[in-house]
Amino acid sequence: IMKDPVSTVDGLVYDREYIEKWFERLQRKNKALTSPATGLELASKVLMPIIALRRAVEAYLQHRPELKLMASERRSAEKAGQLLLSDLQETKTSATDLQGEVGRLQAEVAGFRRERDENDELRAQIKDLQTLSSSLSTALAAARSQNTALSQSNEACQAALRRQAARKRNYEQTLEIELESQWVEREMMSLLLGGHSKHRCQRILTESASTRPPQACTVLLVDDACGAEPPAL
């Protein structure tokens, strides 16, 4: 039994409490306003009261109070059912929200695990790099030690070469002087065998210095200073 009859923009009559709840459900679901009787979309949710019908219902219920009581009980039952339905919907919404929160937390945990795995890989790479750096440092130290040893060996070889070169020069000078001395002795012996005096032989050899090495002249001068015979008068 209608308590407050109203008309929608399409001309159909509903109880105000029923039609307003219908509109609220559609709005909560973000749906267009439609007629519960025809399913067609309504231009607006304006409700127009039908005063004559409402008075007729009131007059009828005055003569049938048992119907009014039944309607009241029905409305109470409907309200209880609506409350239960509302609680159920809220429970479903809460469960959905909890599921979404659980999914978000699971995604975060998965992200943390991936980050942990990536960090483990980075730590392993850093450890490998540290090991490689230590190996390179050891190899570098060995190379420096080897380079130092090679430098010392090179310096020793150069010193040995310099000593050998000095000995060679001394030997060549000594050999040259010895050969010159032998040449002077042979020339002196040849001149002495030819009947010349020793002083005469030295003069002849001195005069022929242009045909001998300079060291021969030096040998002659030394021999002359060490006791050569005076020239014959």
Side-chain angles (χ1 to χ4, degrees):
I1 298 175
M2 292 185 184
K3 185 179 179 181
D4 185 8
V6 292
S7 174
T8 56
V9 292
D10 59 353
L12 297 178
V13 180
Y14 305 94
D15 187 68
R16 181 183 293 275
E17 184 179 1
Y18 170 79
I19 193 64
E20 286 180 349
K21 289 181 180 179
W22 172 263
F23 288 160
E24 288 177 1
R25 285 198 297 270
L26 293 177
Q27 288 179 347
R28 281 198 302 267
K29 296 179 181 180
N30 294 323
K31 292 184 178 181
L33 295 177
T34 58
S35 171
T38 63
L40 298 177
E41 186 173 353
L42 299 176
S44 69
K45 62 178 182 178
V46 175
L47 300 176
M48 295 172 288
I50 305 176
I51 299 174
L53 182 58
R54 184 179 64 186
R55 289 177 179 175
V57 171
E58 290 175 355
Y60 179 75
L61 291 176
Q62 286 179 358
H63 296 285
R64 298 288 303 273
E66 70 277 7
L67 295 178
K68 186 175 182 179
L69 180 61
M70 291 175 60
S72 178
E73 292 176 353
R74 186 180 301 170
R75 281 194 295 272
S76 297
E78 289 178 355
K79 287 182 179 179
Q82 289 174 358
L83 289 174
L84 291 174
L85 181 61
S86 177
D87 292 340
L88 180 60
Q89 289 177 349
E90 290 179 358
T91 303
K92 289 182 178 180
T93 303
S94 300
T96 303
D97 294 339
L98 288 175
Q99 289 178 353
E101 185 67 17
V102 169
R104 186 182 64 81
L105 292 175
Q106 289 177 347
E108 289 183 358
V109 169
F112 290 149
R113 288 177 178 174
R114 286 194 298 271
E115 290 180 359
R116 182 194 62 189
D117 295 339
E118 291 176 356
N119 291 333
D120 291 340
E121 291 178 359
L122 289 175
R123 282 193 289 269
Q125 291 178 0
I126 290 173
K127 186 175 180 180
D128 293 339
L129 290 175
Q130 289 175 347
T131 303
L132 179 60
S133 177
S134 178
S135 300
L136 291 176
S137 298
T138 304
L140 180 60
R144 287 177 177 174
S145 177
Q146 185 177 4
N147 187 25
T148 301
L150 290 175
S151 299
Q152 294 175 354
S153 176
N154 186 26
E155 291 177 358
C157 290
Q158 290 179 355
L161 290 174
R162 287 193 295 270
R163 289 193 297 271
Q164 185 177 1
R167 287 196 297 270
K168 182 179 179 181
R169 286 194 299 272
N170 293 334
Y171 174 76
E172 290 177 350
Q173 292 175 357
T174 302
L175 180 62
E176 186 177 359
I177 292 172
E178 184 177 354
L179 291 174
E180 291 173 354
S181 299
Q182 292 176 1
W183 180 83
V184 170
E185 289 177 358
R186 286 196 302 271
E187 293 293 324
M188 286 285 289
M189 184 63 66
S190 177
L191 291 174
L192 288 174
L193 293 175
H196 298 282
S197 65
K198 184 176 181 180
H199 185 72
R200 179 64 179 170
C201 291
Q202 289 178 348
R203 180 177 296 177
I204 293 172
L205 292 175
T206 302
E207 292 176 354
S208 62
S210 59
T211 62
R212 308 193 298 273
Q215 288 78 0
C217 299
T218 303
V219 173
L220 291 175
L221 292 175
V222 171
D223 291 341
D224 188 32
C226 292
E229 295 181 356
L233 296 176

